[in-house]
Amino acid sequence: MSTSHSDRRIPILAVRSRRTIRFRLTAIYASLFLISGALLLTIGYHFVTDVLPAPDPHHMGPADKAANEVFAARRHITLATLLSEQGRWRAHALHKLLAENIALLAGLSLLSVALGWLTATRALRPLRRITNTTKNISARNLNERLDLEGPDDELKELSATIDELLARLERSFQSQRRFVANASHELRTPLALEQALLEAALTEPHPTATSWRTTCERALASSKHQTRLLEALLALARSERALDRNEPIDLAVMASRVLDAHQAEAQRQHIKITAQLDPAPVTGDPRLIERLIDNLTDNALSHNQHHGSVQITTTTVDSRAVLSIINTGPDVRAADISRLLQPFQRYGADRTNHTGGLGLGLSIVHAITSAHNAQLDIHPRQRGGLAIEVRFAPQVALDQAKTGHASSQREECPSLPRPRSDSRSAASTAVRTANMAASEASGPRAAIQESPALR
Amino acid sequence: MRVLLVEDHRELAETIATVLRREGLAVDVAFDGRQALAQTGVYDYDVIVLDRDLPGVHGDQVCRTLIDQGSQSKVLMLTAADALEDRVEGLGLGADDYLTKPFAFAELIARIRAINRRSGPPLPPVLARGDLRLDPALRVATRRGHRLALSPKELAVLEYLLTAHGRVVSAEELLGRVWDQAIDPFTTTVKVTIRRLRAKLGDPPLIETVREGGYRI
């Protein structure tokens, strides 16, 4: 008995909870109608009661009394009879008015419930369409849109907002898919090469020690390439998550260390590195910051020209540490900059250009700057090459004593064109000496001399 | 069998080509889509091994263009993308087969041979004429049960003549099918190879010379 009872109740509850907005809209509509109708009719009823006062000879004005007496005399009845007739007629009229009002209110209320239900259904129909379409959209058909037609109202706004969300999701899914496709291409090609090389060596009809040696060397080179690629991918993954470590670092120290590591490479390519390393304290993950500077320097060197130059500056402007790297090199179109920040995109042709670069350098830089809330600006230079600037978030809590002299110098004249000064020159001691002379001539370089970069 | 290998990774392309040539296939190499389409305009390839991720003209576009041009070449797509959608999409573009990197050469060669078999009239897996038997998959030819010591080119010529089903095959045709573009078209290589092949096949002679430079088995 109890089970059948509960069985009967569930569908009612389900219906109610499923159509709750429609139900509520109807209820609100009908009750508002009922209240305002009742109010209106009550006011009307009271108005009629006021206009038709109960006949009472004691409270009657002399003029009314005289008129009633004349009227009663003309009809040959007493005043009392007339008044009692009037009273009966008034009571009847008021009673009828009340009864009809109530009936009318009841009828109209029912009508308002029906109309409210219909209106709510109609108003909520687009919402139902939105729900159904959204329910059917998954990762596979993210290109579908609601495209709600009709008046420019809130529901259309909702549908437009959902469409925008879908567009963003679609873009992000696409870039994810592209990344996976590119990563699998980049990872599988060297694997395929290695396998092909080894198989070719094993099936060689007349193998010689030299041919085996060549194969081993080539397989080893490919294996090293894979190691670099995996490390870069791991670095990208690491730099995309929140920072593990947050330590105070001086960009100048870091940059000087990185430049030391790149000296040989620069020398080989006859590229002159000039550095002005003023203290630039930041807080962040030292490994990531080092990777950031390393990637940018590597980039500046590998996409350069013979006898080109790389200019590296670290400084603090308005308590923000700034790293800037400017290099000569081939022309880069401004339109290509955002593409270069995508993984596996390389300078020049598309990603299948095998020039030895992994195509991950700038993606990693981008991820690291994002993780440190730093701002990355990349501009192509007019005569070729890139000008890259990384502005770190303001270092509020940092002790002024440490950076005092350097930053005050900048604050006086923030747009001062900084005189080029050596710190590390790629080419030779001669260049270094020449630059030192230039730096002495160009003004106070106490900050640089004190900077650990020169130690 | 004449094969065009389209692969943008030069080292990989050269390695694959070396191994395929060792198997007796005539292999030309193209390093991008544009070059591939230029090559297919000049030579008639039996099989095109096409990398999908090509610079310049994308591999998909190469495949589409080949189909539009009514090319008879069979296309084997070679790619790193191995998701189900990628494979379905690749085959949907008109590719005849799909192989993902990294691959084993044995499989690549078997697939090249398999899709090539589909191009002409149905061929038995082992070709035979009289007491001569040739297994293209194992690269073994025997006569009266004795294995013949044939070079890859000799084997390829013999295979081509056997698949011609008694049709006369001209020296030019042999040159176009069995040798790659590196060969000088005015060479006597065909004649020399046929002479050596005849010597190895022994008696009674199988390869017949038809007037005006044609051969027949």
Side-chain angles (χ1 to χ4, degrees), chain A residues 5-63:
Chain A
H5 190 72
S6 63
D7 279 351
R8 244 189 317 166
R9 271 170 70 178
I10 286 166
I12 297 166
L13 277 175
V15 166
R16 260 200 201 172
S17 59
R18 231 176 75 71
R19 296 184 177 162
T20 180
I21 287 196
R22 202 196 314 193
F23 179 80
R24 271 187 288 171
L25 276 180
T26 311
I28 290 168
Y29 184 77
S31 44
L32 280 179
F33 180 85
L34 190 68
I35 291 167
S36 57
L39 212 63
L40 201 69
L41 292 182
T42 316
I43 291 168
Y45 181 78
H46 279 287
F47 185 68
V48 174
T49 328
D50 276 358
V51 170
L52 291 178
D56 183 356
H58 305 291
H59 291 98
M60 212 177 265

Side-chain angles (χ1 to χ4, degrees), chain B residues 5-216:
Chain B
L5 171 68
V6 194
E7 164 65 59
D8 64 306
H9 195 294
R10 281 175 186 264
E11 207 179 352
L12 182 59
E14 297 295 358
T15 313
I16 298 174
T18 309
V19 176
L20 294 186
R21 284 188 192 124
R22 226 182 266 158
E23 285 291 316
L25 305 180
V27 185
D28 295 341
V29 182
F31 297 114
D32 59 50
R34 215 175 304 279
Q35 201 187 341
L37 287 175
Q39 296 269 77
T40 53
V42 180
Y43 302 101
D44 197 7
Y45 292 101
D46 296 302
V47 175
I48 299 173
V49 179
L50 181 65
D51 180 20
R52 243 181 126 174
D53 307 279
L54 289 173
V57 184
H58 193 264
D60 290 356
Q61 189 53 45
V62 174
C63 190
R64 253 182 247 124
T65 312
L66 286 173
I67 303 283
D68 289 348
Q69 289 170 348
S71 160
Q72 294 296 306
S73 312
K74 298 284 165 189
V75 177
L76 191 157
M77 272 196 178
L78 193 60
T79 157
D82 71 335
L84 177 66
E85 299 95 45
D86 296 312
R87 279 178 283 156
V88 170
E89 198 187 23
L91 293 171
L93 286 169
D96 297 279
D97 204 353
Y98 200 97
L99 188 60
T100 53
K101 290 180 196 170
F103 54 86
F105 273 116
E107 187 175 3
L108 176 67
I109 293 159
R111 281 176 190 262
I112 290 176
R113 290 196 190 284
I115 62 171
N116 181 51
R117 261 205 310 273
R118 282 183 236 151
S119 57
L123 288 173
V126 176
L127 303 166
R129 182 65 44 96
D131 51 8
L132 175 70
R133 293 223 168 329
L134 192 154
D135 187 332
L138 295 178
R139 315 301 301 151
V140 173
T142 56
R143 196 163 187 199
R144 275 177 239 113
H146 294 292
R147 186 168 173 165
L148 303 168
L150 300 182
S151 77
K153 273 284 176 267
E154 289 156 4
L155 202 64
V157 169
L158 186 61
E159 183 184 350
Y160 194 78
L161 289 174
L162 283 171
T163 54
H165 281 294
R167 180 173 60 84
V168 178
V169 178
S170 72
E172 290 77 37
E173 190 180 340
L174 273 177
L175 205 59
R177 294 280 128 206
V178 181
W179 278 268
D180 57 42
Q181 69 188 75
I183 195 81
D184 171 12
F186 304 106
T187 170
T188 55
T189 314
V190 177
K191 212 179 247 177
V192 173
T193 311
I194 292 274
R195 194 188 307 139
R196 274 206 306 258
L197 188 57
R198 273 182 175 142
K200 287 182 182 176
L201 286 174
D203 286 325
L206 274 172
I207 304 172
E208 190 187 326
T209 307
V210 183
R211 263 178 307 157
E212 287 159 27
Y215 304 98
R216 180 165 62 188

Side-chain angles (χ1 to χ4, degrees), chain A residues 140 184-185 188-189 191-193 195-197 199-201 203-205 218 350-354, chain B residues 8-9 11-12 15-16 19 22 51 53-56 80-82 85 101-106:
Chain A
R140 294 206 184 279
S184 68
H185 179 268
R188 283 192 168 131
T189 302
L191 272 181
L193 173 66
Q195 199 167 326
L197 280 171
E199 262 198 78
T203 56
E204 204 175 334
R218 286 165 74 188
D350 58 356
R351 64 171 178 75
T352 38
N353 188 12
H354 295 276
Chain B
D8 64 306
H9 195 294
E11 207 179 352
L12 182 59
T15 313
I16 298 174
V19 176
R22 226 182 266 158
D51 180 20
D53 307 279
L54 289 173
D82 71 335
E85 299 95 45
K101 290 180 196 170
F103 54 86
F105 273 116

